[in-house]
Amino acid sequence: MAGKIVFTALSVLYPVLVFCGLTFWGLSPRRLSILLLALAFYQFLNLTRSRKAETSDVDAKKANMAKNCALVCLMTICGCVAFFADSLLFLKFYPVLVNLSLLAFFGFTLWKKPSFVFRMANLGDKSIKNSPSRNYVEKYCDKVTFGWCVFFILNACAAATTVFVGSDRLWSLYNGLISYILIGLFFAVEFVVRKVMQSKLQSYVPVSELEMDSRPDGAKFCFDDSSATTWKDFVTDVSKVRIFLESKENIPWIIHCEDVYFFVVALVAILQSGRKALVTANRQDAFIKEIQKETCGFITDEPFASGGATLIQDLLKLETDEIRFGKFDLSKAEMVVYTSGTTGKPKAVFKMFSQLENEVKQQAKFFGNEWMTREIYSTVNHHHMFGLPFAVIFPLAAGIPFRRRRFDFPSELTSITGKKAVVVSSPAFLKRLVVDLDRPLDFKTVPVILSAGGVLPEDVAQKTHELTRSWTNEIYGSTETGIIAHRVSGTGAAWTPFEFCKLGLAENGCLNIKSPAVLEPEGFTSGDLVELQADGSFVLKGRADSIVKIEEKRISLPEVEMRLKSTGLVLDVRVVPMVSKRQFLAAAVVLNEAGREKFAGCAKLKINEFFRNFLCQYLENTVTPKKWRYLEELPQDLMGKIKMKDIQDLFSLPESPNFKILKLQRDVSAFSAKLLFPATSDFYDGHFPEFKLLPAVVQVNMVLLLARAFLNVPKEIVKINRTKFTNPIFPDVPVELKINYDEEKGKLNFSFTDEAGTKSLSSGSILMKK
Amino acid sequence: MNDKIKELLIKSLELEDITPADIIDDAPIFGVNEKGEGLGLDSIDALELGIAIKDTFGVSFAVQNEETKKHFASVNALAAYISANQK
């Protein structure tokens, strides 16, 4: 130990010692070279000793060895030359050698990662390795290592210059003092830079471990177009809601807040006060009433017609200095998430909050690096899984600011092209994006775009890339399991599972998922058929319920869909099984441009025949679709999800030559449809021969017909009240019909507008007999 | 007779998008011919149609065999068979 200190001191003071030796003590270079040789010898001893030292890192050991060997050799050579030739020049090379050997060492670790600085950082803070910001830290450390390399090169050059051109005094001054000061300066600058970066970079704190001092008071928490909310605001607001919740008995609370900030305040307050959170995207009176059959509160940010709701804005008006904010027990934090449901009715899925916490940790580990310096914008509903972890929990835990309101219209994205954005989106939104936008979005920084909730069609991915320069990250997951796998759109069909998932095949060929985000130890079996590949990735093969039997013949619906798409005329298609007197298949088809061109002016029967004859090459007659609908867009729910039930309902409404349904968007108690009444329609008979207008009675009849087909409404009506017909409906001009049904009051409200929804054509309400 | 059969076809088999005028008298009812004409119906439709014809015209068919298939070849063939067998 003492030897080490002596030799380190000698090494550091070398330039000063040599200078003093020469100038003041009258020593010859030959005598002074003994100092250099002694240092070389010491290094050599070190070398033999370090060989025994245990390091698991083989590359690092090799690098260190190589560096030290080279250093010892060069030092010995310089020492010997100085000794025998009595040359001062070679004596002065020592500082250059030290710089070069350090350069070699740092450079080597940059080549064989991890870099030296990252190694040191890891030694200093063991948590870095598993933290979500690991990649980010590593990148930064690599940059610092590179900076050191540049520094050593410059310093070696400077040292060499002093060897050849400067006086002994300058050589000693530079290498014995200035060089050390420069090293110190480099450290200081890097330290300051790191602190600045860190203050920008919020650390990741699991939601259950958030404390009021987890982030600086002024840290940006979320924002809207005109103002930003800080961490302190958030802590204060959560306290207020907690004070309210904790003054009530312990009951579960339903949350529905359109504003993501209010949502996250309510959610955190509920969890921290140990209440159960019921998260629902649907806030229809009847649905909320249904949940409230069990005693529970309802916290929301918009007035609720039937009463019994707590408006969060009222709670936040409370004046108090008390702060209640802190960790909560994960083992007791329970929640229910209501799904939109692929089969129709919303389904309640029980979740422990720990599942979400684990999911988001994985998500942060995977995306964190990319996202840390960005802001989050969402186009999806945050009450559902996908929106909830990606647009709410992740920003909360990672300290990434998010926009309070989601974007509903693709054109809104033009307002954020100057931002570094993560856009949490869905195939439904991106499909609209590529149709609605005619000019590329000129993002300064290429945005990160995510999509989940369904498969993103290749051409939409391609066009999205053309518009944004970004390839969409597609996420595959489910409400029960959270995230499962990901892929970059446009790269083909295989999905790569997230690291924390263990995938297997269930007996029926469906995907089985085990992960820290899944409660059941035996894993969760999804309804999706998959093919697992040798490299761990998988290919989706359709839903298990996509294999149906039609009159004893097994047929895969995706196969029929794939065949139809292979005509090159079809943009999107869904084939569904139907039952009437017999079982048969029915196909809802959206033609692409080529298809629309080919069939322009064709009778529907001819189009049916074309597709049927095409399919007959591959399929038996029995399983070719018997009924066809041609739309502009497949029927979907508000989330853009295409459900079998919606398509089946479309077919149970008999086809009529008098009207066409071009689009259909449907919710539990409301729907909107784009309709067209052709000039050939019987509806215009006598109304009027010279000037065709859709009669009012037909409009009302249409409302009733569609309401009975797509909503659960009673058959009989009591009366028709408050009905206005403000503008005529002309033949062959598409119109938009919006209908909602208030079950409580038995009131069916409708409105016909023009296609854009701006001009009212008629509206009114019909009272149904309950 | 042909028109009656066509209407029966559409009604009993719940065919969509088609009017009696769209059905060609000598085109196949089941499957399609090389010109792509025909209704493209299948064997399950055949059973259904057989029952409908029995109910409407009182004419029944023997168990399915080659002979029966010929009667179902086209609307013309069907009309001929029904006319011949009606009492």
Side-chain angles (χ1 to χ4, degrees), chain A residues 211-224:
Chain A
E211 300 271 12
M212 57 180 291
D213 57 359
S214 291
R215 313 207 184 285
D217 279 356
K220 189 171 171 185
F221 186 75
C222 65
F223 56 91
D224 55 24

Side-chain angles (χ1 to χ4, degrees), chain A residues 49-341:
Chain A
R49 231 179 292 153
S50 74
R51 197 173 292 179
K52 287 170 211 151
E54 270 302 315
T55 350
S56 54
D57 200 333
V58 183
D59 279 335
K61 219 155 86 178
K62 268 193 213 156
N64 208 12
M65 275 296 282
K67 177 204 86 171
N68 287 334
C69 285
L71 185 62
V72 168
C73 288
L74 288 169
M75 279 167 74
T76 316
I77 293 169
C78 285
C80 289
V81 174
F83 183 81
F84 290 112
D86 199 7
S87 150
L88 180 61
L89 194 66
F90 278 86
L91 213 52
K92 288 196 205 161
F93 261 117
Y94 180 64
V96 183
L97 291 182
V98 171
N99 271 302
L100 289 179
S101 79
L102 286 169
L103 169 67
F105 176 68
F106 276 67
F108 183 81
T109 66
L110 208 50
W111 176 47
K112 287 265 179 196
K113 299 265 172 80
S115 65
F116 181 67
V117 177
F118 186 60
R119 272 168 228 236
M120 289 293 120
N122 267 318
L123 284 182
D125 182 357
K126 295 255 189 309
S127 71
I128 292 178
K129 233 176 188 161
N130 288 316
S131 91
S133 49
R134 177 191 191 275
N135 289 338
Y136 189 84
V137 174
E138 181 165 5
K139 245 187 200 166
Y140 174 77
C141 288
D142 289 354
K143 275 186 201 154
V144 176
T145 311
F146 182 76
W148 276 114
C149 289
V150 173
F151 176 83
F152 290 135
I153 292 173
L154 294 178
N155 203 28
C157 289
T161 315
T162 62
V163 171
F164 290 110
V165 295
S167 63
D168 293 349
R169 182 186 281 267
L170 178 70
W171 174 80
S172 169
L173 186 68
Y174 182 81
N175 294 296
L177 185 65
I178 297 176
S179 159
Y180 295 132
I181 293 176
L182 289 178
I183 291 177
L185 262 177
F186 191 99
F187 264 117
V189 170
E190 191 266 329
F191 182 80
V192 172
V193 170
R194 193 190 327 159
K195 283 292 152 200
V196 171
M197 303 282 275
Q198 266 175 353
S199 69
K200 273 196 207 162
L201 184 73
Q202 302 290 353
S203 53
Y204 183 93
V205 185
V207 173
S208 59
E209 287 168 29
L210 281 171
E211 300 271 12
M212 57 180 291
D213 57 359
S214 291
R215 313 207 184 285
D217 279 356
K220 189 171 171 185
F221 186 75
C222 65
F223 56 91
D224 55 24
D225 294 336
S226 54
S227 65
T229 308
T230 63
W231 173 252
K232 193 179 177 193
D233 299 332
F234 173 66
V235 171
T236 322
D237 286 347
V238 169
S239 298
K240 290 176 185 170
V241 179
R242 269 190 74 174
I243 290 169
F244 166 78
L245 291 174
E246 286 164 21
S247 70
K248 304 266 168 195
E249 60 194 315
N250 187 349
I251 49 169
W253 284 82
I254 305 170
I255 328 178
H256 177 103
C257 294
E258 282 299 309
D259 184 319
V260 183
Y261 175 67
F262 289 145
F263 178 85
V264 77
V265 167
L267 180 67
V268 170
I270 289 171
L271 291 170
Q272 287 193 355
S273 51
R275 275 35 170 182
K276 186 173 176 179
L278 315 177
V279 179
T280 169
N282 181 348
R283 57 164 278 155
Q284 299 288 338
D285 289 19
F287 185 72
I288 300 289
K289 286 270 148 61
E290 174 97 24
I291 306 178
Q292 281 184 324
K293 279 181 186 158
E294 314 252 330
T295 309
C296 57
F298 176 32
I299 194 161
T300 181
D301 63 346
E302 276 167 22
F304 187 59
S306 348
T310 306
L311 211 57
I312 187 164
Q313 289 94 330
D314 292 344
L315 301 181
L316 300 185
K317 281 180 202 148
L318 181 79
E319 299 273 344
T320 174
D321 291 330
E322 191 189 339
I323 292 293
R324 281 193 213 171
F325 192 92
K327 296 181 182 182
F328 61 90
D329 185 354
L330 262 188
S331 67
K332 294 196 181 99
E334 297 177 340
M335 55 196 293
V336 169
V337 177
Y338 293 88
T339 72
S340 58

Side-chain angles (χ1 to χ4, degrees), chain A residues 582 604 608 612 621 629, chain B residues 16-17 39-42 45:
Chain A
R582 56 167 292 180
K604 190 182 167 204
N608 297 353
R612 190 194 65 206
N621 211 350
R629 296 284 184 275
Chain B
E16 279 186 358
D17 312 319
L39 290 176
L41 302 182
D42 61 24
D45 296 321

Side-chain angles (χ1 to χ4, degrees), chain A residues 587-753:
Chain A
V589 177
V590 180
L591 295 175
N592 64 17
E593 218 162 294
R596 286 198 302 270
E597 210 164 285
K598 184 179 168 74
F599 297 123
C602 269
K604 190 182 167 204
L605 181 63
K606 293 291 161 208
I607 313 178
N608 297 353
E609 279 175 1
F610 174 86
F611 284 119
R612 190 194 65 206
N613 292 347
F614 179 85
L615 287 178
C616 277
Q617 302 174 64
Y618 310 99
L619 305 172
E620 271 188 72
N621 211 350
T622 309
V623 295
T624 53
K626 303 286 177 209
K627 293 190 180 178
W628 302 81
R629 296 284 184 275
Y630 302 96
L631 308 104
E632 286 182 0
E633 186 182 271
L634 292 179
Q636 47 194 261
D637 68 3
L638 295 176
M639 307 281 300
K641 242 192 184 149
I642 298 161
K643 297 179 194 164
M644 193 183 263
K645 177 84 170 59
D646 289 349
I647 308 224
Q648 286 170 327
D649 286 351
L650 179 72
F651 279 100
S652 45
L653 182 71
E655 182 76 321
S656 156
N658 295 330
F659 67 92
K660 276 190 205 161
I661 298 177
L662 299 177
K663 285 184 187 176
L664 181 68
Q665 196 179 48
R666 183 179 173 191
D667 197 5
V668 183
S669 60
F671 74 86
S672 63
K674 183 174 170 186
L675 303 172
L676 187 124
F677 303 93
T680 51
S681 168
D682 295 343
F683 290 162
Y684 299 109
D685 273 4
H687 197 275
F688 302 89
E690 295 303 308
F691 191 69
K692 292 184 174 179
L693 296 176
L694 197 69
V697 60
V698 170
Q699 296 183 29
V700 174
N701 185 47
M702 204 64 213
V703 168
L704 289 170
L705 182 74
L706 295 187
R708 284 173 187 143
F710 300 125
L711 300 175
N712 188 20
V713 296
K715 284 230 151 46
E716 283 179 64
I717 63 172
V718 180
K719 62 172 178 178
I720 298 174
N721 41 6
R722 284 199 308 113
T723 305
K724 280 182 287 185
F725 298 90
T726 34
N727 282 295
I729 295 178
F730 297 110
D732 291 317
V733 179
V735 294
E736 180 91 4
L737 170 61
K738 277 196 166 57
I739 294 187
N740 71 65
Y741 180 59
D742 185 334
E743 203 179 326
E744 198 105 313
K745 296 181 187 137
K747 231 162 90 180
L748 189 68
N749 303 305
F750 72 90
S751 77
F752 277 98
T753 60

